[in-house]
Amino acid sequence: MSGTFMGMPSFPKAARDAVRDTTLRGNLRHATHTIRAKRAAAVAELDDWAALREAGKQIKDHTLRHLDTYLVRVEEAVTAAGGTVHWAADAEEANRIVADLVKATGESEVVKVKSMATQEIGLNEALEAEGIRAYETDLAELIVQLGKDRPSHILVPAIHRNRGEIRDIFRSEMSEWGRPAPEGLTDTPAELAEAARLHLREKFLRAKVGISGANFMVAETGTLVVVESEGNGRMCLTLPETLISVVGIEKVIPTWRDLEVFLQLLPRSSTAERMNPYTTMWTGTTDGDGPRTFHLVLLDNGRSDTLADEVGRQALRCIRCSACLNVSPVYERAGGHAYGSAYPGPIGAILTPQLRGTATELDASLPYASSLCGACYEVCPVAIDIPEVLVHLREKVADQGGKGHRLEGAAMRTATWLLDHPAALNAGERLASRTRKLHPKRLPGPGAREWTNSRDLPDMPAEPFRDWWKKNHA
């Protein structure tokens, strides 16, 4: 992955600052509670939701087991339909391919559909370094871009902003990016949306190059699919002369019939709608209709390594609905920025360390950014067992060593020896009971202190269980 978010503190440090921001917590609480309540109602309408969920899981697992086959089919189908396919092993290669394609058109600006993959690789920053300006056209992404901010949610990137903050951003920043905000702009949703529409319209009509991701790729026909709610995607995907789509290799599905399952799962899990307002599909190029040139950049960037992990690979089922974020007690309080990645929340806590590795303090901390309550697994439309993967990744991080993990390992070895020597264990229990009034409520040491900052140590009983048993069951 890109280094865009690197250099950030570990999750516990970033989250500690985030939870002190009362405005942020209020914005997050209101938004996540509203979205998850609507989602629950939308899902409850379907009697076969559990069957759909299982079907989505099975389709994804089948595709991942035969990913090499289906990716070749995608390449063949896209090429036959007039498109060009590029393979990118990592973020650097993907950014270079896209920048070269844009420069070959002679253009210096592009319009973008919201895309997690391009955020992952830091494409906007890479294009800027090449003298190319990328304009985000999704309303929430526009807010984030104008505010010189970072997305904090998969579905609603500006979830951490309230209407007053958005109005102020539009008033102060829009003029530097194009058409300024109207005079006297208020914070009413209709006025904010109209200001964004007027600002973006001139960019849609002027742009010669569009950049997108894709929610799905159909191997059977080489068709790409983008679902969205505002219509900006339709403008970016149809008006420019050149379209470049950067898509993770895990987004492929085998057939059109499979697409039917996901077009029921995704809208209800993400926006709590029965159907997306805009579902755009395109297959290569067609004379007189849409872009004249189409490029598909298939992105690996750690996905093959993730696929090799029998437990962790289930993260690649993710369809980016964000349902797990909206039920996570950790995300609700810390927000998305604390995760230091394009992928926040529970899915980010398992996806980012696999795509990026766990060499940095930040990435090694992400598998611990969870209470393991299991709410994320319950709402996942493709049944990703996020708690299982979190525990699996914690084991990997622990195996790497480090000061805290070495101490933990020593404690486990001591406990193992005691449990293997009953006489020593019995003596230790009696000593602990006799000295219980001297025991501290908090443990010393950095790692232990953090654990007991929010919980008391349990009181030691007056006598060991063995002694109590002998007295009461002689």
Side-chain angles (χ1 to χ4, degrees):
M1 290 179 75
S2 159
T4 306
F5 298 94
M6 301 306 288
M8 289 191 62
S10 64
F11 180 85
K13 294 176 183 176
R16 190 178 299 117
D17 294 335
V19 297
R20 294 192 183 109
D21 188 334
T22 56
T23 300
L24 171 66
R25 291 187 65 175
N27 294 345
L28 290 169
R29 186 184 309 110
H30 173 73
T32 55
H33 284 227
T34 300
I35 296 171
R36 75 191 192 202
K38 290 181 177 180
R39 177 206 170 274
V43 167
E45 293 179 349
L46 295 183
D47 293 333
D48 63 344
W49 179 258
L52 276 171
R53 184 179 189 237
E54 181 62 22
K57 172 187 173 182
Q58 294 293 341
I59 292 168
K60 280 288 189 177
D61 281 349
H62 166 80
T63 309
L64 291 172
R65 284 196 301 270
H66 305 281
L67 191 57
D68 53 346
T69 299
Y70 288 117
L71 287 173
V72 170
R73 289 185 188 175
V74 166
E75 181 180 35
E76 292 172 347
V78 168
T79 303
T84 303
V85 176
H86 310 262
W87 297 80
D90 54 26
E92 182 180 358
E93 186 174 9
N95 288 332
R96 185 174 66 252
I97 290 169
V98 175
D100 288 345
L101 291 172
V102 176
K103 287 191 288 187
T105 68
E107 297 296 317
S108 60
E109 61 181 26
V110 300
V111 288
K112 285 187 64 198
V113 189
K114 177 187 171 187
S115 164
M116 300 299 296
T118 60
Q119 289 173 9
E120 173 190 328
I121 63 176
L123 179 62
N124 287 10
E125 294 78 9
L127 292 178
E128 185 178 3
E130 298 287 340
I132 301 165
R133 199 168 204 184
Y135 296 108
E136 298 289 352
T137 64
D138 174 84
L139 176 56
E141 291 284 359
L142 172 66
I143 294 165
V144 168
Q145 186 175 51
L146 293 178
K148 301 176 180 65
D149 202 350
R150 291 180 289 110
S152 65
H153 192 276
I154 290 176
L155 179 67
V156 194
I159 195 172
H160 56 293
R161 297 290 193 182
N162 59 39
R163 293 184 302 177
E165 292 173 315
I166 295 169
R167 174 204 59 208
D168 294 342
I169 289 171
F170 280 9
R171 284 177 173 176
S172 63
E173 303 296 333
M174 266 189 171
S175 59
E176 292 187 18
W177 289 79
R179 179 169 179 152
E183 290 290 332
L185 178 67
T186 72
D187 65 356
T188 60
E191 286 195 32
L192 294 173
E194 179 65 7
R197 188 187 72 82
L198 293 172
H199 177 80
L200 291 170
R201 181 58 57 122
E202 64 176 13
K203 292 180 170 52
F204 289 137
L205 297 177
R206 185 177 69 236
K208 303 295 184 183
V209 181
I211 294 178
S212 82
N215 295 97
F216 308 102
M217 298 183 292
V218 182
E220 185 178 40
T221 59
T223 301
L224 274 70
V225 184
V226 163
V227 295
E228 40 114 5
S229 299
E230 301 169 17
N232 64 294
R234 182 69 55 82
M235 302 286 275
C236 289
L237 295 166
T238 57
L239 293 180
E241 296 176 0
T242 299
L243 174 61
I244 305 167
S245 298
V246 182
V247 187
I249 56 176
E250 82 281 14
K251 293 297 185 71
V252 65
I253 57 175
T255 68
W256 273 94
R257 187 172 184 177
D258 299 323
L259 183 61
E260 175 193 359
V261 173
F262 295 105
L263 290 184
Q264 294 181 76
L265 289 171
L266 181 55
R268 290 177 188 267
S269 293
S270 56
T271 56
E273 295 170 299
R274 298 180 182 92
M275 182 178 179
N276 284 92
Y278 296 89
T279 301
T280 305
M281 307 180 188
W282 68 101
T283 307
T285 59
T286 303
D287 291 339
D289 183 15
R292 294 198 293 268
T293 305
F294 170 58
H295 295 274
L296 171 61
V297 181
L298 291 171
L299 176 69
D300 189 319
N301 204 36
R303 286 159 174 79
S304 292
D305 292 337
T306 304
L307 187 62
D309 187 323
E310 292 185 3
V311 176
R313 71 173 59 147
Q314 58 186 297
L316 297 178
R317 289 187 212 141
C318 179
I319 57 175
R320 310 292 191 263
C321 70
S322 77
C324 62
L325 280 70
N326 300 324
V327 299
S328 169
V330 177
Y331 175 85
E332 180 186 324
R333 288 157 178 80
H337 291 159
Y339 294 83
S341 165
Y343 303 107
I347 187 62
I350 65 170
L351 187 58
T352 300
Q354 294 191 87
L355 296 182
R356 227 159 52 181
T358 54
T360 69
E361 182 184 8
L362 168 62
D363 293 328
S365 72
L366 290 178
Y368 297 88
S370 170
S371 64
L372 297 180
C373 67
C376 49
Y377 171 57
E378 295 299 324
V379 299
C380 178
V382 287
I384 301 171
D385 194 341
I386 293 177
E388 178 188 30
V389 183
L390 285 167
V391 173
H392 172 66
L393 293 175
R394 289 180 185 186
E395 182 180 357
K396 285 191 169 185
V397 172
D399 288 343
Q400 291 177 185
K403 183 177 180 181
H405 296 299
R406 285 196 295 270
L407 291 173
E408 182 183 31
M412 290 299 104
R413 287 190 293 273
T414 302
T416 300
W417 185 88
L418 279 172
L419 292 171
D420 282 340
H421 296 78
L425 177 62
N426 193 26
E429 288 174 344
R430 286 176 177 169
L431 178 62
S433 294
R434 290 169 184 166
T435 60
R436 63 195 186 103
K437 291 183 179 180
L438 302 176
H439 295 176
K441 292 295 184 183
R442 300 284 187 272
L443 290 174
R449 189 187 306 119
E450 289 179 4
W451 193 86
T452 54
N453 275 343
S454 57
R455 52 178 70 81
D456 289 334
L457 287 173
D459 292 329
M460 184 67 65
E463 59 182 342
F465 175 77
R466 297 164 188 250
D467 293 350
W468 177 89
W469 183 268
K470 286 179 181 178
K471 285 195 303 185
N472 291 277
H473 296 272

